[in-house]
Amino acid sequence: IELGGKTLGIIGFGRIGQALGRMAIALGMKVIAQDIFHVPGIEEKMGMKYVELDELFAESDFISLHTPSLNGVKLISKENIDKMKDGVVFINTSRGDNVNEEYLLAALESGKVRAAGLDVFAEEPATNAALYSHPRVSCTPHIGAATKEAQKRIGAEIVDIIESFK
């Protein structure tokens, strides 16, 4: 399917969510976001809008999750999957424990979720073979920051943090 003209819902609109939003807009996608912290002026600057979580679930063709661990709270729960548009594509590169994998698998089986891209799992190494081997799931082994470029940026960020304490 083409990305242009589709709606991307980004849950967690920090540094990584914003970078994804810029790329999606460049591809011709409509971007909506939800975050507990609203960045003033970001809507005008980026050409996207903040929405409530229920609206994001209902309107998004693609949903990408970028939140820290929610201390056992499953943001992607049966209730919230039921609110999603039929045929949604779900991506999780944040934390595996934010997703109820049992309900995600059931949604993949029923077609409610068209496909999933997963870089993280509730248990790592992943033990849910039915999920990670599902034909409509694309997995990576928690390597979101494993490129040489990302490691260089992380190193520079750590140096900046340490220097800020001088």
Side-chain angles (χ1 to χ4, degrees):
I1 59 175
E2 293 185 8
L3 298 177
K6 301 293 190 303
T7 299
L8 171 64
I10 302 173
I11 303 172
F13 208 60
R15 184 175 43 87
I16 295 169
Q18 289 175 35
L20 175 62
R22 284 190 293 276
M23 290 182 230
I25 289 168
L27 293 172
M29 297 184 85
K30 174 185 172 187
V31 174
I32 57 178
Q34 193 279 333
D35 198 298
I36 59 172
F37 301 106
H38 183 276
V39 179
I42 195 93
E43 293 164 303
E44 297 78 22
K45 180 180 175 185
M46 288 191 62
M48 51 70 63
K49 70 175 186 171
Y50 279 101
V51 297
E52 294 297 323
L53 198 54
D54 285 353
E55 184 178 349
L56 184 142
F57 287 140
E59 292 186 15
S60 299
D61 299 298
F62 295 82
I63 296 174
S64 190
L65 186 59
H66 300 275
T67 60
S69 180
L70 302 171
N71 297 321
V73 174
K74 306 290 186 199
L75 181 62
I76 306 305
S77 62
K78 180 181 184 326
E79 177 183 298
N80 286 337
I81 289 171
D82 288 345
K83 294 175 186 176
M84 294 178 187
K85 184 186 275 191
D86 289 345
V88 67
V89 175
F90 174 71
I91 301 136
N92 186 16
T93 59
S94 67
R95 299 292 180 263
D97 65 348
N98 291 340
V99 177
N100 184 311
E101 292 179 349
E102 176 187 344
Y103 292 126
L104 177 59
L105 181 59
L108 283 158
E109 290 293 327
S110 73
K112 175 72 176 182
V113 173
R114 177 185 191 142
L118 305 173
D119 186 55
V120 293
F121 295 89
E123 293 182 41
E124 293 185 1
T127 59
N128 189 340
L131 181 61
Y132 69 70
S133 64
H134 193 281
R136 291 194 315 270
V137 173
S138 178
C139 299
T140 51
H142 202 155
I143 59 170
T147 64
K148 289 180 183 178
E149 296 86 354
Q151 288 297 303
K152 185 175 180 180
R153 280 193 307 273
I154 290 167
E157 186 176 329
I158 291 170
V159 169
D160 290 344
I161 292 168
I162 291 169
E163 287 181 346
S164 73
F165 286 101
K166 286 184 177 181

